[in-house]
Amino acid sequence: MLAVPGAGSCPAALPEAVAGGVRARESWWRGWSGKEGPQCWKEWHGCSGSAAKSLLFRFLPFLRWMPRYPIKDWLLGDILSGFSVGIMHLPQGIGYWHNSVGPFAVISVMIGSLTESLVPSENFLESVNGSNATVNEELRDAARVELVATITVLTGIFQVALGLLQFGFVVTYLSDPLVRGYTTAASVHVLVSQLKNVFGVSQGENSGPLSLFVTVIDLCKKLPDTNVGTLVTAIIAMVAILIVKELNHKFAAKLPMPIPIELITIIVSTGISYGVNLNDKFGISVVGNIPSGLKPPVVPNFSYFGQVAGNAFAIAVVGYAICISLGKIFALKHGYKVDSNQELIALGLCNFLGGFFQCFAISCSMSRSLVQESTGGNSQVAGVIASLVILVTILKIGELFRDLPKAILSAIIIVNLKGMFKQFSDLSSLWKSNKVDLLVWIVTFIATLLLNLDIGLAASVAFGLLTVIFRTQLPRYSILGRISDTDVYRDVVEYEMAQEVPGVKIFRSSSTIYFANVELYSEALKKKVGEPPASECFLCLLPASNSVVNDTRSPSLPQNAEDGPGLSVIELNAGESTAPSEPTLHSLGLPQPTFHTVILDFSPVSFVDTVSIKILKNIFRDFHEIEVDVFIASCSVSVLAQLERGNFFSSAITKHSFFPSVHDAVVHISRERQQASVST
């Protein structure tokens, strides 16, 4: 995937590879325990080689595509993209916090707020000459870095554990409208976090519900203190980047490669800042000192685990949500698939290992991912180049970027969020196509703005699931008819060529049936077939047992008013052994239905529960009482097994009532009716 960092290049294969080896050994042992041990060994040995190769390619996908890498077409774009992203990486990290690699603005704010609350500056006050107290920034920053490293390690542990538990299935519930609404709201969070650098004001970090609005209100109060030089620098940079990007888009066919305007802007602005001394003359904030060298590994402070466990879990989920959301957007755009569990494990391993080197909890940055794509990045080679740029910068040339204005970085970030803000156009298209998806988009966007990315994500997924429940509760019910000279059956309301089969009502629901909608299913069936499934007049005339032949009263008793109005009691002589025939609608003088058969099309039904099984039994019983046969068509094997386990079948309801298709049921009914006519 194009999102940064490239998770596929991380050593995520180790846990699954070990598990695969264990499973392979179990197969080998089972083979040797059989009669054909040596042959099984040969088969296992051959299979294990291909299985190991498949696992290796699955978890290290670059091994599959690297030998076929199109150097002529992709290499130049990957190199320029890698340089652009790599140069953005380090200054952004310094801007957010100490010694961070791969930061994402919202996660940086979440961690920054946590460190300020657990390690406040007040804990490091030192008196000077016995009077004024100042903060020992060196001790404070060291303590905060220790806390951040601990959070990062714990975040990685959570992510790896969730990946091994196949938590990636949650991606199933991240619909496209939800992802686009979520990433658009996240872009607003990123935009707001960069405004302080655009206006040149200082702000504290805020997190939690309504933190976005608190930050905006605080920014508005500080607008009178805007640094004009910083604002002008940011505006000039944004205008220049926008113009060049438009030219890149307009002349894409003629240009051999996009103009790397982000890289040019960073280099030129750093040179101007150094030559003019923007920081001293105009008070324009710059990146400042960039530490050289790599930090030695340090064991995290485990005493913090209990205090930060909840926050670390939230950071783990938000980091993964952003990573997989961007991955899905790029995958949809460029036509490839994202392995959600692999991404989760890889991201977790990066955080877990990085935490020991005092790194920041990382995710996929929107701005850098968009820069990587827009500057011609095609593969993970761009990520490798970016990593090499970061490594060289940290070790040798970090000082060259100490005069880079922070406003330039914010300008690059804001301009590259343009692609995300274009997702607002989804509102008009969804209004025309699907109002429910539109509602999901809007609720996700508003919830993420109000509740922040962690709680907002949970609320959005919950709302998305609710819409699924509502849709299953309000499905479309229809009566199907046959299109002449075919075995195709369609809704008679929507298709003029579809004609109802005489005497047969074919009923279909667009949703599965379960406890929440089965009553609606039964009521819709009664309404659609045009007759009450159990004739009220018939039921009111029958005794409580619903059958006259089961009457246990004495045969010599006369008819009383208690017998019910107009009901003749069948008297049995003591010597009569022949059971009376069951009364019919015709013999009772009751109106008969205009149809003789109901077919329930079960093609949309994916499961049934105990409640729906009981209601289905009632449907069969009620129609049988008005002399209408009921058949079920297109029922899947799994649903049939669930019906069997739920004691659905009996002497009255057998598997002979089930057919593989609607047409098979119709043909069977037609044949049975013809045979009955001949017999009569």
Side-chain angles (χ1 to χ4, degrees):
M1 59 184 285
L2 289 171
V4 181
S9 61
C10 294
L14 294 178
E16 285 294 327
V18 172
V22 172
R23 289 192 291 270
R25 285 194 294 273
E26 290 175 354
S27 301
W28 169 80
W29 180 256
R30 286 195 296 269
W32 267 99
S33 63
K35 295 181 180 180
E36 300 179 359
Q39 180 64 28
C40 289
W41 157 252
K42 292 178 182 178
E43 292 178 359
W44 171 84
H45 185 69
C47 292
S48 67
S50 61
K53 185 178 180 180
S54 177
L55 278 175
L56 192 64
F57 283 163
R58 177 184 175 188
F59 293 106
L60 297 176
F62 71 91
L63 294 178
R64 185 185 297 275
W65 58 259
M66 199 65 181
R68 300 190 297 270
Y69 180 79
I71 297 177
K72 183 178 179 181
D73 296 329
W74 283 9
L75 184 59
L76 184 58
D78 280 338
I79 291 175
L80 289 174
S81 175
F83 270 104
S84 299
V85 173
I87 290 176
M88 285 181 68
H89 255 292
L90 191 86
Q92 279 190 13
I94 295 299
Y96 289 134
W97 192 251
H98 293 276
N99 199 29
S100 64
V101 178
F104 174 59
V106 177
I107 289 181
S108 300
V109 170
M110 293 171 69
I111 295 179
S113 301
L114 183 60
T115 56
E116 286 186 356
S117 62
L118 293 181
V119 188
S121 298
E122 291 76 12
N123 293 355
F124 301 91
L125 292 175
E126 294 181 353
S127 59
V128 179
N129 298 326
S131 56
N132 296 330
T134 60
V135 177
N136 189 325
E137 294 185 358
E138 184 177 352
L139 291 178
R140 181 200 63 186
D141 291 348
R144 288 183 174 179
V145 167
E146 181 185 47
L147 175 60
V148 169
T150 303
I151 295 171
T152 302
V153 170
L154 190 55
T155 298
I157 292 174
F158 279 130
Q159 289 173 330
V160 171
L162 292 174
L164 294 176
L165 293 173
Q166 302 295 295
F167 182 75
F169 77 91
V170 76
V171 175
T172 306
Y173 302 104
L174 300 180
S175 64
D176 188 57
L178 189 150
V179 167
R180 294 174 74 86
Y182 182 74
T183 51
T184 304
S187 300
V188 176
H189 279 277
V190 174
L191 171 64
V192 171
S193 72
Q194 299 302 316
L195 292 179
K196 63 181 180 182
N197 292 329
V198 172
F199 291 97
V201 297
S202 59
Q203 280 187 291
E205 305 291 354
N206 300 294
S207 64
L210 300 178
S211 61
L212 180 75
F213 301 94
V214 173
T215 302
V216 171
I217 293 172
D218 180 58
L219 179 67
C220 292
K221 292 179 179 178
K222 294 182 177 179
L223 285 180
D225 301 328
T226 298
N227 185 304
V228 178
T230 300
L231 181 61
V232 170
T233 300
I235 292 174
I236 293 174
M238 284 190 279
V239 171
I241 295 171
L242 280 171
I243 292 174
V244 175
K245 280 187 171 292
E246 286 299 318
L247 293 175
N248 282 338
H249 179 71
K250 186 175 182 179
F251 299 103
K254 298 180 180 180
L255 292 173
M257 54 163 292
I259 301 173
I261 184 60
E262 289 87 0
L263 179 59
I264 294 172
T265 302
I266 289 173
I267 294 174
V268 171
S269 60
T270 301
I272 294 174
S273 176
Y274 175 77
V276 181
N277 198 0
L278 295 178
N279 181 248
D280 292 337
K281 290 186 177 181
F282 302 100
I284 296 176
S285 179
V286 295
V287 168
N289 183 48
I290 299 178
S292 299
L294 297 174
K295 296 288 184 181
V298 178
V299 177
N301 189 342
F302 296 104
S303 62
Y304 282 127
F305 273 23
Q307 296 174 273
V308 302
N311 300 87
F313 184 80
I315 292 168
V317 172
V318 170
Y320 171 67
I322 291 296
C323 182
I324 203 65
S325 296
L326 284 173
K328 288 186 72 173
I329 290 174
F330 288 128
L332 186 64
K333 183 176 180 180
H334 295 280
Y336 57 85
K337 292 184 179 180
V338 179
D339 187 333
S340 55
N341 288 305
Q342 179 187 353
E343 294 294 321
L344 189 53
I345 294 174
L347 195 63
L349 286 175
C350 289
N351 279 325
F352 176 75
L353 297 176
F356 287 92
F357 293 88
Q358 301 180 19
C359 289
F360 216 68
I362 64 169
S363 180
C364 296
S365 166
M366 288 185 174
S367 58
R368 291 192 304 274
S369 299
L370 294 169
V371 167
Q372 178 165 314
E373 185 202 27
S374 63
T375 53
N378 295 295
S379 69
Q380 292 172 339
V381 172
V384 174
I385 301 296
S387 300
L388 292 176
V389 170
I390 296 168
L391 181 63
V392 172
T393 303
I394 291 175
L395 294 178
K396 298 294 183 183
I397 60 174
E399 287 296 312
L400 296 179
F401 296 100
R402 64 178 301 169
D403 292 309
L404 174 63
K406 292 182 180 179
I408 297 296
L409 289 174
S410 295
I412 293 174
I413 291 172
I414 291 171
V415 170
N416 280 284
L417 291 175
K418 177 185 174 183
M420 288 296 170
F421 289 132
K422 284 184 177 180
Q423 294 179 151
F424 278 112
S425 62
D426 294 347
L427 297 176
S428 60
S429 60
L430 290 176
W431 173 262
K432 299 175 184 177
S433 60
N434 193 309
K435 301 270 191 315
V436 176
D437 283 347
L438 173 65
L439 190 60
V440 170
W441 198 105
I442 294 174
V443 170
T444 300
F445 178 77
I446 295 175
T448 307
L449 287 185
L450 293 175
L451 305 176
N452 219 337
L453 269 69
D454 47 358
I455 304 176
L457 176 63
S460 303
V461 172
F463 181 79
L465 293 177
L466 281 177
T467 63
V468 175
I469 295 174
F470 290 145
R471 291 186 195 190
T472 59
Q473 283 189 304
L474 300 172
R476 181 179 180 84
Y477 300 108
S478 55
I479 294 294
L480 304 184
R482 182 183 179 184
I483 297 178
S484 180
D485 298 326
T486 70
D487 58 357
V488 178
Y489 294 80
R490 292 292 184 266
D491 188 348
V492 294
V493 176
E494 295 181 350
Y495 292 83
E496 294 181 359
M497 297 181 63
Q499 300 295 323
E500 289 191 48
V501 178
V504 179
K505 297 289 185 180
I506 307 172
F507 180 75
R508 185 181 188 273
S509 168
S510 62
S511 170
T512 191
I513 53 175
Y514 65 111
F515 70 92
N517 68 359
V518 69
E519 291 284 356
L520 299 174
Y521 181 89
S522 179
E523 293 173 4
L525 174 60
K526 298 175 185 179
K527 183 178 179 181
K528 285 287 185 180
V529 298
E531 297 281 349
S535 176
E536 288 93 353
C537 53
F538 185 29
L539 292 178
C540 71
L541 294 176
L542 291 177
S545 63
N546 287 344
S547 179
V548 177
V549 296
N550 292 329
D551 198 343
T552 58
R553 291 173 296 178
S554 171
S556 61
L557 287 176
Q559 181 178 354
N560 298 325
E562 296 176 356
D563 294 328
L567 178 64
S568 299
V569 177
I570 301 173
E571 297 185 0
L572 300 177
N573 295 326
E576 192 171 87
S577 60
T578 304
S581 61
E582 185 176 347
T584 64
L585 294 176
H586 180 72
S587 66
L588 293 172
L590 297 174
Q592 293 178 286
T594 58
F595 56 95
H596 53 75
T597 306
V598 169
I599 300 176
L600 304 179
D601 182 3
F602 262 36
S603 54
V605 178
S606 57
F607 70 93
V608 290
D609 56 15
T610 55
V611 178
S612 56
I613 290 175
K614 290 178 181 178
I615 299 298
L616 284 173
K617 283 184 176 181
N618 292 342
I619 290 173
F620 270 77
R621 181 201 65 199
D622 292 345
F623 277 106
H624 175 72
E625 288 176 347
I626 60 170
E627 301 170 8
V628 173
D629 295 326
V630 180
F631 297 99
I632 293 178
S634 304
C635 180
S636 66
V637 176
S638 61
V639 172
L640 192 63
Q642 291 170 1
L643 291 171
E644 194 165 16
R645 288 195 297 269
N647 297 320
F648 175 73
F649 298 104
S650 63
S651 59
I653 307 174
T654 67
K655 291 183 180 179
H656 291 92
S657 301
F658 285 72
F659 291 88
S661 69
V662 172
H663 188 64
D664 289 324
V666 171
V667 170
H668 169 79
I669 294 165
S670 177
R671 186 183 301 117
E672 290 292 319
R673 299 292 293 185
Q674 289 176 359
Q675 291 177 356
S677 299
V678 172
S679 300
T680 303

